[in-house]
Amino acid sequence: MLVEIDENGMISHARVRNARSPVIERGRRTGAITGIVVHQTDADTSASSLNSYKRPKANGAHFLIDTDGTIYQTAAIYQRTNHVGPLKARCLAVGAAMPCNLRDYANAGVEGMHRIEMRKPPSDRYPSNMEAIGIEMVGRAALPVGFKPISEPAKWTLERQRGEFGIFATPTAAQNLSLSWLVKALEDSMQIPSSEIFRHPVVSRKNPTEARGANWSLPVPTP
């Protein structure tokens, strides 16, 4: 399913609303787009995220999908945005399918692992900010009912506890339908392999429940 994309990387289609926020763009990409990373905003409404993207030094992704399925394009596809974070080692996750020197990672830490990964060609690691299109889905994490922190976390602020132990809301049916449409359009139009679509916690160190309920494999009507 092909969609029209202009020279800047803005989609022209009735299903996509132009809400471009140049503040979150970090310069034109220097390499090919190789993957897609699916996020959740940790916010209750699309308005709060769209407004935050207008603030100085704001970060954000290329698309935002509201709970009713509305798709906003918030950054040009050919522009890099900061949405991925430090990369995990893909070779550690896939095992024998990808060469991996375990000694390189033994004491690397988060930033060290990221530096090691970024020395590899994109085909041998997860997509970074430079190669990945980011899709945000409106959804906030909430602490489980009856949650009672113990030990050191009991001293944390409620917001920090929520960030660490919160569980993200399951995307709505409308969100997943729109996500499936958007991913299919990007896969076909940008020639992105289906194997290179990832939930945010897979590629970086994020709350493991983020985008857990995201489903981009639903059948969608065309165009």
Side-chain angles (χ1 to χ4, degrees), residues 103-120:
R103 289 179 295 182
D104 290 344
Y105 301 99
N107 300 301
V110 174
E111 295 300 329
M113 179 176 288
H114 177 73
R115 287 193 293 270
I116 293 170
E117 292 304 292
M118 291 304 295
R119 289 196 290 266
K120 300 177 181 180

Side-chain angles (χ1 to χ4, degrees), residues 175-187:
Q175 280 181 304
N176 276 332
L177 190 61
S178 289
L179 177 65
S180 295
W181 181 90
L182 180 58
V183 166
K184 179 63 175 173
L186 292 170
E187 283 180 335

Side-chain angles (χ1 to χ4, degrees), residues 17 52 67 111 115-116 134 138 150 182 184 197 209 212 219:
R17 297 187 183 182
S52 73
T67 53
E111 295 300 329
R115 287 193 293 270
I116 293 170
V138 174
I150 59 174
L182 180 58
K184 179 63 175 173
I197 319 298
T209 69
R212 184 170 59 184

Side-chain angles (χ1 to χ4, degrees), residues 184-199:
K184 179 63 175 173
L186 292 170
E187 283 180 335
D188 291 352
S189 301
M190 305 299 299
Q191 298 183 331
I192 299 172
S194 58
S195 61
E196 300 306 298
I197 319 298
F198 303 99
R199 294 174 176 84

Side-chain angles (χ1 to χ4, degrees), residues 121-141:
S123 59
D124 291 342
R125 57 171 169 79
Y126 291 121
S128 71
N129 288 325
M130 187 57 73
E131 301 91 19
I133 293 172
I135 301 175
E136 290 273 12
M137 306 176 79
V138 174
R140 183 171 169 83

Side-chain angles (χ1 to χ4, degrees), residues 41 43-50 64 66 138-139:
T41 60
D44 292 315
T45 66
S46 60
S48 62
S49 294
L50 292 171
L64 175 69
D66 206 347
V138 174

Side-chain angles (χ1 to χ4, degrees), residues 25 73 80 94 112 137 147 167 171 180 194-195:
E25 298 175 350
Q73 184 168 1
R80 176 176 61 86
V94 302
M137 306 176 79
F147 173 79
I167 298 175
S180 295
S194 58
S195 61

